[in-house]
Amino acid sequence: MAWLAGVDGCKGGWIAALASDEAHDVPVIRVLPRFADLFTGETVPATVAVDMPIGLPDRVLGSGRGPEQAVRALLGDRQSSVFAIPARRAVEASDYRQACALALALSEPPRKVSKQGFHLFPKIREIDTLLRAEAAMREHVFEVHPELAFRTMKGVPLIHPKKVKGVVNPMGMAERQALLREAGIAPDVVFARPPRGAAADDLLDALAALVVARHIAAGRGKPFPDPPRRDSHGLPIAIWTFVSASQPLQDTVMSAAPVSRPMIEEAAARIAGHARVTPAMRLGTGAFGSPADISLKLECLQHAGSFKTRGAFNNLLSLPVPAAGVSAASGGNHGAAVAYAAMKRGVKATIFVPEISPAAKVEAIKRFGADVIIGGAQYDDAQAACDRFVAQTGALKIHPFAAKETITGQGTLGREWDLQEPDLDTVLVAVGGGGLISGIASWFAGSKVKVVGVEPEGSRALQAALDAKGPIEVKVASVAADSLGARNVGQLVYDVTKNSVDHVALVPDTAITEAQAVLWRDFRLAVEPGGAAALGALLCGAYKPAQGERLGVLVCGANVDLAKLAAIAG
C-alpha cells in the first residue's frame, strides 16, 4: 500500500487530503504549517499533487510559463484562474516593487506581477527550496491546477466560477462537489467543514489534486507540456492532469527499464514495407584519414529524408487513429515524416511549426498533404499549440521522442544496422531530442557495441542530462539547431539512455559543416547539418577511434537547403 496526497495552499499553511492507493479509501484531511511536514511521520506519501507552481524559468516568453499557456485554452471562461508565473528572480524577490521590476525585465513582452500572484511567492519558494535540496523528491511531487482537474473530470470547461469578486459562489461549489463525488470521493469528505486554517474552496482544490494524484500513481497522468520541461535547477515545469479510464492513453510514460529487443523486433515487423531498408556503405580502414575500419549507415535515403519515418509509421500502426487524425509539433524532419506516413495511410495530419522552421522543411511537410499551422516563435510554442489542438479535437499526438512507440520505431534502425554490419564495435549517433539514440542504444544494450552520442557544442541536452543525472533545460545555438535543437530530452529519454549510452561527444559547428561538404564532395550525398554531425565528430577528433576499430557512422537526415549546401561545399 502506498500513500497519496492532494495539497493546496491555505491561510494556515497547506491543506492536504491524504489517502492510500486502495480504491475506496476515505481521505484524511489535515492542515500543515509547512509543506515539508507532509514528508514526516508514518503516512509519507509516495505521490503528491500540489496546486502550486513548481519549476521556474530564467526568462518568460509570452503569457507565463509553457504550462500556463498550454492549459488556458482548455478552461473556457475559467482561463483567468491560471496566473502567469514570472521568472525565478522575480519570484525570489520579497518586495512587490522589486518583483515587478524584475518580472518586467525578464519577460517578453514585458509583464509585471499581480498582487494576487505575489502573495503566492512565499509558498512557491517553500516548495522550490525543498525540491532543490531533495532531488529524489522531484519525481514524486507534481504540479496540478484544480480547474484543469475539474475540467478533466467533466470533459468540458466548468460553467460556474468558485468565487465571484472574492466571495464563494454556491453554484460553483456545488458543480465541483458533484464532480468529486463522481470521482469516488466520499460525500462525508466532500461536504465536510474544512479544518481550521483552510477555507471550503481550499478543501475542494486539495481533493481535486488527490484525484489527479491517484491517476498519476496508476500511470494515467497527463502533463502539459508533454514531456515536462526542466528549469535550470532540474525542477520539472509541467501542469499535470489525467486521462480518464474511458479514454485511450496516449504518450505512455515508460518505466525506468529500457525498451527491449522484442519490442523493437515487433516494431520492425510492423513497419516492414512502409519504411525503407537503407544501405550501409563499407569504406574500410583509412577512410577520412582515420585508423578505424569505417562504414556509413545511409539513413538519409529514408522516405521523407530521415529516420523519423520509422517512428511515425510505428505510431500510426500501433495506436488507434481517431477521426481527427494525427498531430505533431515540428519544424522539420518529424513533421515531414508524420505527414508522409499519414499520407500513405490515408490519415489527416495537422503539423504545428515554429516561425524559425527552415522553408525547405515546411514545404516538404506541405508537399505530403498535411495542414501546416504556425504555432509560435519557438518549438516550445508550437508544442503548446499542438497540445491544445489535441486536447480540443482528440487527434492522436505523435511525439518526436518522448513516446515508446516512437523510440521502438527508431530502434528498428539499430536492428537493421546490426544485421548489415554484425561486427561493429562502436556506432556514432547524432542526438537532438534523443528518440533515435534511445532506440539504437536499446537494441545494442548488453552487446559489445558501444553507442556514442554526438551533439553540437551549442546544443547539448543529452550530455547535460547525463551530467546532472536528470533532464534539464539547456540553451540552444547551433547550425544544426533545426534538427538537433531540443532544449530538454525529458525523463523518458534520460531513463533509457543513462545506462545504455557510453558517452556524448561534442562537435563545433565548423566540424558539422565540414562533414556536409565532405559527404557532398566525396559521395554526392546532400545531407543537412544534423545528419552530418556524427561524421563531424570523427573529422574533428571529438571521437578518436582505436586502430582497426569497426566504427559505424550514422548519416541520418537529407532535408537540406540546397543553396546553403552549395555555399558550404564551395
Side-chain angles (χ1 to χ4, degrees):
M1 180 181 73
W3 284 92
L4 315 171
V7 184
D8 187 29
C10 64
K11 186 176 181 180
W14 302 87
I15 180 170
L18 291 141
S20 75
D21 57 1
E22 296 177 359
H24 301 292
D25 193 36
V26 177
V28 175
I29 309 301
R30 296 177 182 167
V31 170
L32 305 169
R34 301 179 309 143
F35 186 76
D37 294 339
L38 195 62
F39 302 96
T40 61
E42 297 181 358
T43 56
V44 175
T47 302
V48 177
V50 57
D51 175 22
M52 198 61 60
I54 298 172
L56 301 171
D58 296 324
R59 290 189 63 85
V60 174
L61 300 176
S63 55
R65 303 174 306 159
E68 285 106 44
Q69 297 183 48
V71 305
R72 282 195 186 99
L74 306 178
L75 300 182
D77 292 339
R78 306 278 72 75
Q79 290 187 37
S80 60
S81 67
V82 184
F83 296 120
I85 304 302
R88 172 176 290 282
R89 288 178 59 198
V91 174
E92 291 173 346
S94 57
D95 175 77
Y96 178 64
R97 289 184 179 179
Q98 182 186 19
C100 284
L102 288 167
L104 287 167
L106 296 171
S107 60
E108 187 180 331
R111 297 175 65 92
K112 66 178 185 178
V113 177
S114 70
K115 288 196 173 180
Q116 189 173 6
F118 178 73
H119 290 312
L120 293 177
F121 288 4
K123 284 186 163 54
I124 297 174
R125 293 195 295 266
E126 188 178 340
I127 294 182
D128 183 73
T129 299
L130 178 66
L131 296 186
R132 285 172 61 181
E134 302 290 344
M137 285 187 182
R138 298 172 191 173
E139 308 311 320
H140 301 278
V141 181
F142 301 85
E143 177 185 344
V144 298
H145 193 289
E147 291 302 285
L148 179 61
F150 285 122
R151 191 258 187 232
T152 306
M153 294 179 214
K154 189 170 183 177
V156 294
L158 274 63
I159 299 172
H160 304 289
K162 282 186 303 183
K163 292 183 176 181
V164 177
K165 296 182 178 180
V167 178
V168 169
N169 177 20
M171 290 188 293
M173 296 291 284
E175 185 178 20
R176 288 157 181 78
Q177 287 166 336
L179 290 170
L180 289 170
R181 290 188 62 185
E182 291 175 12
I185 304 295
D188 289 349
V189 178
V190 173
F191 295 103
R193 181 187 296 271
R196 185 175 181 179
D201 60 314
D202 298 329
L203 172 61
L204 297 191
D205 287 351
L207 291 171
L210 178 62
V211 172
V212 178
R214 283 178 169 169
H215 283 281
I216 292 172
R220 302 195 67 82
K222 170 71 177 178
F224 287 88
D226 189 0
R229 307 293 187 254
R230 296 270 170 167
D231 71 9
S232 57
H233 294 274
L235 274 62
I237 303 179
I239 295 175
W240 287 75
T241 183
F242 60 90
V243 179
S244 67
S246 62
Q247 294 176 278
L249 183 61
Q250 296 182 18
D251 303 330
T252 304
V253 177
M254 292 175 50
S255 70
V259 174
S260 66
R261 277 197 171 201
M263 292 167 65
I264 295 172
E265 291 279 12
E266 291 174 6
R270 192 177 295 122
I271 70 173
H274 298 282
R276 283 181 180 143
V277 175
T278 56
M281 182 167 60
R282 190 76 170 259
L283 303 179
T285 303
F288 310 115
S290 171
D293 185 358
I294 295 172
S295 67
L296 302 179
K297 173 64 170 166
L298 302 181
E299 189 67 9
C300 54
L301 302 179
Q302 186 57 258
H303 291 300
S306 83
F307 67 91
K308 298 280 191 180
T309 299
R310 297 173 184 267
F313 270 117
N314 195 48
N315 274 273
L316 280 170
L317 297 169
S318 300
L319 300 169
V321 179
V326 297
S327 185
S330 168
N333 294 336
H334 179 62
V338 171
Y340 174 82
M343 177 186 70
K344 289 297 184 181
R345 299 295 298 164
V347 171
K348 175 180 172 59
T350 305
I351 309 298
F352 291 81
V353 302
E355 294 170 4
I356 61 170
S357 304
K361 295 191 176 185
V362 174
E363 285 305 312
I365 296 170
K366 293 179 178 178
R367 189 169 66 250
F368 295 134
D371 291 337
V372 177
I373 299 174
I374 305 298
Q378 303 292 327
Y379 170 77
D380 286 356
D381 303 319
Q383 185 64 68
C386 177
D387 289 343
R388 290 192 295 269
F389 176 81
V390 168
Q392 291 164 356
T393 66
L396 173 68
K397 184 173 77 171
I398 300 183
H399 200 282
F401 51 88
K404 69 176 183 180
E405 292 81 11
T406 300
I407 289 176
T408 52
Q410 319 309 27
T412 63
L413 193 162
R415 173 186 177 275
E416 184 177 293
W417 203 356
D418 196 16
L419 292 171
Q420 293 169 327
E421 299 278 3
D423 56 346
L424 288 170
D425 297 312
T426 306
V427 293
L428 299 182
V429 181
V431 181
L436 173 62
I437 198 169
S438 293
I440 290 175
S442 295
W443 176 260
F444 286 118
S447 74
K448 71 177 182 66
V449 179
K450 179 172 66 177
V451 178
V452 176
V454 177
E455 291 183 298
E457 290 178 345
S459 180
R460 52 177 78 185
L462 181 58
Q463 191 206 47
L466 296 176
D467 288 347
K469 301 192 183 309
I472 61 173
E473 291 279 334
V474 298
K475 295 180 179 179
V476 174
S478 170
V479 68
D482 65 310
S483 57
L484 305 184
R487 296 180 183 177
N488 190 323
V489 296
Q491 192 66 40
L492 175 58
V493 167
Y494 172 73
D495 286 341
V496 174
T497 57
K498 62 183 178 182
N499 294 319
S500 58
V501 170
D502 185 81
H503 70 280
V504 174
L506 299 177
V507 295
D509 282 353
T510 53
I512 293 173
T513 54
E514 180 188 359
Q516 285 184 275
V518 167
L519 288 166
W520 175 252
R521 184 193 67 208
D522 294 352
F523 305 100
R524 283 299 185 257
L525 292 172
V527 177
E528 65 188 272
L535 179 59
L538 180 66
L539 296 181
C540 74
Y543 180 76
K544 299 182 184 298
Q547 182 69 42
E549 180 179 343
R550 281 287 294 114
L551 178 64
V553 179
L554 181 59
V555 182
C556 56
N559 292 314
V560 62
D561 184 318
L562 295 178
K564 289 184 178 179
L565 179 62
I568 290 167

